[in-house]
């Protein structure tokens, strides 16, 4: 009995140490419920990046010789790309901003699809792009609801009249370039939110 009594404090000490070790080794760090949707959003952005180069079907040499008159689509968003800006973003503000930008591109891409059809140009890339923008918008909407944020209202941009295939081509090039910038910005923002939310990368 004396041997058992002498060992009791030692056993209790070992059990206490084991109890402290189990949570740190058996359970993952707390992570956000947004993780699954963030992975899906990044996937949609990657698909959009590939589609952004198919809007005009022009070669690099043809693009160099095409005179595009500045940024004529004033309703397209301008993204801040600096590392300091990206690092300063908060999850709720970032998702709201990303939702508004996505909705803006959806409206512009739909407008371009109609303009292409009106001048008998292929609208397939615009249709595919709109599908992935819709998926991205849906995930963003659900994410905002999940964190208790209001979904910002969509604004209708002022869009120009298009009457010639050349006009459509110019706008196709402009949207293509701006969409690519949007994808670059969006992926950086989503990866930052993923890191802040302690989500696994794979």
């Amino acid at each position: 009995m004396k041997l058992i009594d002498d060992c009791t404090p030692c056993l209790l000490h070992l059990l206490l140490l084991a109890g402290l070790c189990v949570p740190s080794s058996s359970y993952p760090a707390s992570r956000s419920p947004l993780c699954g949707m963030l992975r899906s959003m990044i996937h949609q952005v990657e698909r959009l990046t590939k589609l952004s180069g198919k809007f005009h079907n022009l070669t690099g040499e043809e693009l160099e010789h095409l005179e595009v008159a500045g940024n004529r689509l004033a309703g397209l968003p301008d993204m801040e790309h600096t590392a300091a800006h990206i690092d300063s973003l908060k999850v709720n503000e970032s998702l709201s901003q990303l939702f508004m930008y996505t909705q803006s591109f959806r409206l512009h891409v739909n407008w371009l699809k109609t303009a292409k059809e009106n001048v008998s140009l292929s609208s397939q890339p615009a249709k595919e792009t709109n599908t992935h923008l819709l998926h991205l918008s849906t995930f963003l909407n659900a994410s905002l609801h999940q964190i208790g944020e209001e979904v910002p209202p969509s604004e209708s941009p002022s869009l120009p009249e298009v009457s010639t295939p050349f006009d459509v081509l110019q706008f196709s090039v402009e949207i293509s370039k701006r969409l690519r910038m949007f994808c670059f910005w969006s992926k950086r923002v989503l990866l930052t939110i993923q890191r802040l939310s302690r989500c696994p990368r794979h």
Side-chain angles (χ1 to χ4, degrees):
M1 288 295 295
K2 186 176 187 307
L3 180 61
I4 293 174
D5 289 341
D6 290 343
C7 292
T8 299
C10 195
L11 287 169
L12 288 172
H13 184 65
L14 288 172
L15 286 170
L16 180 61
L17 286 175
L20 291 172
C21 292
V22 168
S24 61
S25 59
S26 301
Y27 299 97
S30 176
R31 65 182 64 155
S32 169
L34 291 174
C35 292
M37 279 190 281
L38 286 168
R39 283 196 302 272
S40 297
M41 285 188 271
I42 290 169
H43 174 69
Q44 294 301 323
V45 170
E46 289 170 345
R47 295 293 300 272
L48 286 167
T49 303
K50 294 177 181 178
L51 285 167
S52 66
K54 298 180 180 179
F55 264 68
H56 44 69
N57 293 322
L58 297 175
T59 65
E61 186 177 350
E62 288 171 333
L63 276 173
E64 288 179 7
H65 289 90
L66 179 69
E67 294 182 8
V68 179
N71 294 330
R72 298 166 65 189
L73 298 174
L76 285 174
D78 288 315
M79 283 73 69
E80 180 66 60
H81 284 85
T82 64
H85 176 75
I86 297 293
D87 290 339
S88 70
L89 292 174
K90 297 177 181 178
V91 172
N92 58 340
E93 293 173 357
S94 303
L95 291 174
S96 293
Q97 197 171 43
L98 188 51
F99 178 83
M100 289 189 294
Y101 289 174
T102 303
Q103 290 296 90
S104 176
F105 272 99
R106 276 193 67 204
L107 291 168
H108 282 82
V109 168
N110 271 327
W111 164 80
L112 181 67
K113 178 179 73 68
T114 302
K116 282 176 172 284
E117 290 168 351
N118 288 341
V119 295
S120 301
L121 291 177
S122 172
S123 61
Q124 188 59 35
K127 287 180 182 177
E128 292 179 35
T129 300
N130 182 59
T131 298
H132 291 291
L133 285 168
L134 177 59
H135 291 331
L136 180 57
S137 177
T138 301
F139 286 126
L140 286 163
N141 189 308
S143 298
L144 287 166
H145 281 298
Q146 194 168 54
I147 62 174
E149 287 291 317
E150 289 188 9
V151 177
S154 301
E155 297 182 2
S156 298
S158 176
L159 295 166
E161 293 289 332
V162 180
S163 57
T164 68
F166 184 70
D167 270 344
V168 172
L169 183 60
Q170 285 195 316
F171 285 123
S172 298
V173 171
E174 182 176 349
I175 291 179
S176 172
K177 289 180 179 178
R178 302 285 288 276
L179 181 62
R180 195 168 187 82
M181 289 172 59
F182 165 74
C183 291
F184 174 73
W185 179 86
S186 299
K187 188 168 183 179
R188 287 185 66 189
V189 169
L190 290 169
L191 288 173
T192 300
I193 296 175
Q194 196 178 56
R195 176 175 53 80
L196 292 173
S197 302
R198 299 180 181 179
C199 300
R201 290 295 186 94
H202 304 289

